[in-house]
Amino acid sequence: MDFSFSSDQEELRGLANRVLTDRCTMEHLKEIEDAGGIDLALWRELADLGIVGIGMPEADGGAGLGFAEVAIVLEEVGRTVAQVPAMPVMGMAAPFLSEYAPAHLAGLASGERIVTVALHELVGDVHTPYLSAAGGTLTGVKTNVPFGTVADGFIVSAADGLYYVDAKASGVTVERQDATDGIPDAKVTFNGAAAEKLAGIDALDRLIEYGQTSQSLIMAGVTAKAVEIMSDYVKERVQFERQIATFQAVAQRAADCRIDSDAIKLTAWGAAMRLNDGLPAGENAASAKYWASEGGARVVRACTHLHGGVGVDRDYPLHRYYLWAKKQELFLGGTTQSLLHLGKLLADTPV
């Protein structure tokens, strides 16, 4: 069985990699961070190239391709730590809206609009929201909303289902939250805000599956690049007149990093291809999220450790990958929550 990408998919990967690598130099990333943390100019450039809409319907300005193509882009975003809303827009909102509310896809492929997801509450688990919905309005608070400060609309989880809320609607208040990776999240308060119900509560799990898989794909890119940076360093760093890569302890720990990084990629792509084929992906997404959280943390810690003091230099590239890994580790639930959810899925599966 051939698991290789098609020539068109390889061309897409090459295009995304070239554009993101050329733009996302460490100097540019720092400039964007100092200017607010979100690179909307790069996002519009990706949209002009057709990359943002790669998985969106042709009727809405997209290319009409599948989630596999979206996955390719997400992995490259992770490799370059590009400060663009690829995960919430391409990985979550677009596939969900394509199925439940195509009218709200307008302007997403062109980069003119950004729709994000508001799933985390101040306490509790993302799988069991408590936000109140009554009479076509929402009341409550969502926290750590990705790219919420620049969003035009929100897909919001409530106790009885999923809703769409316009960011400019009366009763919506958006507050910036500074995040670990330098890209701001938002705390969004809904005070009787007008909301359109998109789907029942059963659809929430599918939206989270897309989110966990998208995170894991980004983490696959983050950890792969971190391992590359570490590998180059230990092959060049000389101690006791030898490259430190020749020391057994260093080599073993570097090998563990590669194993974890490959496991993240394998599980992420396993979940991505089930989503691409329209198959149930709950267990696969939860497994991928576990590896992204647990394995991702191990990789960036080890890579930092193997660099010695250089690893904690904020101007050294590896530090940015460490911060990205920490952010992705916790969004939509960390290691323990992922395992608990996976255990519940397995326990509920008939034998």
Side-chain angles (χ1 to χ4, degrees), residues 78-92:
R79 286 186 64 87
T80 54
V81 289
Q83 299 136 318
V84 294
M87 185 194 71
V89 177
M90 297 175 64
M92 298 183 72

Side-chain angles (χ1 to χ4, degrees), residues 223-258:
T223 54
K225 185 62 177 180
V227 170
E228 287 180 17
I229 295 171
M230 175 271 293
S231 177
D232 290 341
Y233 179 80
V234 298
K235 286 186 290 187
E236 295 174 358
R237 177 76 167 90
V238 175
Q239 189 70 29
F240 305 112
E241 300 182 354
R242 293 173 56 188
Q243 287 89 355
I244 63 172
T246 63
F247 299 156
Q248 187 178 53
V250 172
Q252 287 175 339
R253 197 155 192 209
D256 286 341
C257 288
R258 177 61 186 269

Side-chain angles (χ1 to χ4, degrees), residues 21-99:
T21 301
D22 288 347
R23 301 295 182 274
C24 297
T25 63
M26 288 300 114
E27 293 78 12
H28 178 73
L29 293 174
K30 192 172 188 310
E31 288 175 4
I32 295 297
E33 187 174 316
D34 293 340
I38 300 174
D39 197 344
L40 292 178
L42 176 57
W43 184 243
R44 286 189 289 269
E45 182 177 354
L46 294 173
D48 291 341
L49 292 169
I51 293 175
V52 171
I54 197 73
M56 300 180 201
E58 292 182 75
D60 297 292
L65 299 179
F67 194 76
E69 285 72 21
V70 173
I72 289 171
V73 176
L74 291 173
E75 192 172 353
E76 293 304 317
V77 168
R79 286 186 64 87
T80 54
V81 289
Q83 299 136 318
V84 294
M87 185 194 71
V89 177
M90 297 175 64
M92 298 183 72
F96 179 82
L97 292 174
S98 295
E99 181 175 354

Side-chain angles (χ1 to χ4, degrees), residues 2-351:
D2 184 7
F3 289 101
S4 59
F5 293 111
S6 68
S7 58
D8 288 343
Q9 289 172 328
E10 289 292 357
E11 287 181 13
L12 171 63
R13 182 184 294 280
L15 174 62
N17 179 270
R18 285 195 301 275
V19 173
L20 292 170
T21 301
D22 288 347
R23 301 295 182 274
C24 297
T25 63
M26 288 300 114
E27 293 78 12
H28 178 73
L29 293 174
K30 192 172 188 310
E31 288 175 4
I32 295 297
E33 187 174 316
D34 293 340
I38 300 174
D39 197 344
L40 292 178
L42 176 57
W43 184 243
R44 286 189 289 269
E45 182 177 354
L46 294 173
D48 291 341
L49 292 169
I51 293 175
V52 171
I54 197 73
M56 300 180 201
E58 292 182 75
D60 297 292
L65 299 179
F67 194 76
E69 285 72 21
V70 173
I72 289 171
V73 176
L74 291 173
E75 192 172 353
E76 293 304 317
V77 168
R79 286 186 64 87
T80 54
V81 289
Q83 299 136 318
V84 294
M87 185 194 71
V89 177
M90 297 175 64
M92 298 183 72
F96 179 82
L97 292 174
S98 295
E99 181 175 354
Y100 291 99
H104 291 298
L105 286 169
L108 293 191
S110 64
E112 297 170 27
R113 295 178 63 245
I114 292 173
V115 175
T116 187
V117 294
L119 304 181
H120 276 280
E121 298 186 3
L122 297 175
V123 295
D125 186 277
V126 290
H127 293 276
T128 54
Y130 296 99
L131 196 75
S132 173
T137 64
L138 294 181
T139 300
V141 178
K142 292 290 185 176
T143 187
N144 298 101
V145 177
F147 295 89
T149 58
V150 294
D152 298 285
F154 305 99
I155 298 173
V156 186
S157 60
D160 67 337
L162 290 156
Y163 290 79
Y164 178 82
V165 179
D166 191 291
K168 296 180 181 178
S170 176
V172 177
T173 303
V174 178
E175 302 173 65
R176 177 187 171 108
Q177 292 178 311
D178 290 319
T180 306
D181 58 359
I183 302 174
D185 285 340
K187 177 184 176 183
V188 184
T189 302
F190 303 97
N191 186 12
E196 174 190 347
K197 190 169 185 178
L198 305 179
I201 195 64
D202 291 342
L204 175 59
D205 282 345
R206 191 63 166 177
L207 178 59
I208 293 174
E209 288 169 17
Y210 275 107
Q212 291 178 328
T213 302
S214 297
Q215 282 185 284
S216 302
L217 290 160
I218 287 176
M219 189 70 94
V222 167
T223 54
K225 185 62 177 180
V227 170
E228 287 180 17
I229 295 171
M230 175 271 293
S231 177
D232 290 341
Y233 179 80
V234 298
K235 286 186 290 187
E236 295 174 358
R237 177 76 167 90
V238 175
Q239 189 70 29
F240 305 112
E241 300 182 354
R242 293 173 56 188
Q243 287 89 355
I244 63 172
T246 63
F247 299 156
Q248 187 178 53
V250 172
Q252 287 175 339
R253 197 155 192 209
D256 286 341
C257 288
R258 177 61 186 269
I259 292 169
D260 274 332
S261 180
D262 285 354
I264 294 167
K265 182 169 184 173
L266 176 65
T267 53
W269 273 98
M273 293 312 297
R274 290 190 67 85
L275 291 173
N276 181 73
D277 295 339
L279 299 173
E283 295 173 13
N284 304 81
S287 296
K289 181 62 172 71
Y290 165 75
W291 275 104
S293 295
E294 181 73 7
R298 280 200 299 263
V299 169
V300 293
R301 281 200 302 265
C303 288
T304 301
H305 189 196
L306 289 172
H307 273 77
V310 176
V312 295
D313 184 345
R314 292 182 63 88
D315 292 325
Y316 188 71
L318 183 63
H319 183 69
R320 192 171 295 275
Y321 288 87
Y322 185 98
L323 296 179
W324 265 58
K326 195 63 180 176
K327 171 79 169 288
Q328 295 303 322
E329 176 188 351
L330 300 176
F331 183 65
L332 296 181
T335 300
T336 300
Q337 287 176 305
S338 299
L339 284 180
L340 288 172
H341 182 63
L342 177 59
K344 183 179 185 302
L345 291 174
L346 294 174
D348 291 345
T349 301
V351 178

